Amino acid sequence: QVRLLESGGGSVQAGGSLRLSCEAFGHSYGVYCMGWFRVTLGNEREGVAGIDIDGTLKYADSVKGRFAISQNKAKTTLYLQMNNLKPEDSAMYYCATDVRGGPLCSAGYPSADYGDWGQGTQVTVSS
């Protein structure tokens, strides 16, 4: 089991930027990819970005060209650079792991049955 700790959320105006971080602690056996997903106040759930063990990056169409996912060399910290933020990006952002073939690996919304989730960090974008 991997423990995930997110940070970096906050409030910004539209057009601004934020960088989220996610530190991973514990054994990563079985983890094939890591990524980010978000949940809005209206409980809309959306995968945002994923990176697999080979370094392949995937993004949701809604964030392509604006968000960038990356990892440190040790693969213990995951990042999400968010640029040109829009009010519709406002949500709780979660870091998560997934198994091979899992939806998060394709920037989809993951299942809690197969991976670990962090506690989330809030992002609020005002117009």
Side-chain angles (χ1 to χ4, degrees):
Q1 185 176 6
V2 180
R3 187 167 70 90
L4 303 168
L5 184 62
E6 302 99 332
S7 61
S11 298
V12 295
Q13 290 190 324
S17 298
L18 283 173
R19 190 191 197 204
L20 306 184
S21 298
C22 171
E23 290 187 83
F25 305 91
H27 296 291
S28 61
Y29 179 79
V31 173
Y32 186 80
C33 65
M34 294 184 68
W36 298 89
F37 68 94
R38 62 190 181 187
V39 182
T40 68
L41 283 176
N43 207 31
E44 293 179 8
R45 306 176 181 189
E46 181 183 29
V48 174
I51 180 169
D52 69 21
I53 59 174
D54 297 321
T56 300
L57 310 178
K58 297 289 186 181
Y59 296 96
D61 288 342
S62 58
V63 306
K64 279 181 182 176
R66 300 188 298 121
F67 290 12
I69 187 172
S70 61
Q71 282 181 311
N72 65 347
K73 282 188 177 181
K75 297 186 178 180
T76 55
T77 305
L78 186 71
Y79 303 99
L80 186 68
Q81 178 67 43
M82 305 186 294
N83 299 324
N84 191 22
L85 282 160
K86 304 176 181 181
E88 51 263 43
D89 293 319
S90 297
M92 186 71 82
Y93 282 72
Y94 296 86
C95 173
T97 66
D98 210 342
V99 298
R100 187 184 187 99
L104 186 64
C105 304
S106 300
Y109 188 82
S111 168
D113 293 336
Y114 298 103
D116 299 298
W117 292 9
Q119 85 290 345
T121 185
Q122 180 68 41
V123 171
T124 303
V125 185
S126 58
S127 57

